[in-house]
Amino acid sequence: VVFATGMTGYPESLTDPSYQGQILTLTQPMVGNYGVPDRTVIDEYGLPKYFESTRIHASGLLVQDYSHHYSHWNAASSLGDWLKEEGVPGLAGIDT
């Protein structure tokens, strides 16, 4: 189990290869409220523009409060939908 204490950046944390095979615990009180950017957008170097890699490397996600409704100009999907697509379990309601 590893902890991420940043107030933003869960897409970057989840796709960080250094978290490979670990359960990622986010300590901010609410997660999911800004959704997930479009995963197909590539920068001028051919790398994912909004992510650290092309897939989720963490083996699970623990959060205190998950927002089922997201609202952000750059969001393309919800965090929950992305986790489901990649087969990564998430658990909310944990005092992180």
Side-chain angles (χ1 to χ4, degrees):
V1 176
V2 294
F3 293 84
T5 59
M7 293 302 290
T8 61
Y10 55 81
E12 293 88 346
S13 294
L14 285 165
T15 58
D16 186 334
S18 70
Y19 292 133
Q20 176 66 40
Q22 299 179 69
I23 298 170
L24 180 61
T25 303
L26 303 178
T27 61
Q28 64 263 38
M30 182 185 290
V31 176
N33 55 318
Y34 64 86
V36 176
D38 185 346
R39 296 179 298 280
T40 63
V41 177
I42 309 254
D43 69 12
E44 64 272 16
Y45 302 105
L47 301 169
K49 186 168 184 173
Y50 304 111
F51 305 91
E52 295 299 310
S53 66
T54 58
R55 67 177 184 86
I56 295 176
H57 288 275
S59 63
L61 181 66
L62 300 176
V63 300
Q64 180 175 341
D65 186 22
Y66 174 70
S67 175
H68 293 274
H69 304 285
Y70 63 92
S71 177
H72 189 272
W73 67 270
N74 201 27
S77 68
S78 73
L79 174 58
D81 288 343
W82 182 36
L83 291 171
K84 284 179 201 167
E85 287 172 23
E86 298 231 6
V88 176
L91 183 63
I94 304 296
D95 185 6
T96 60

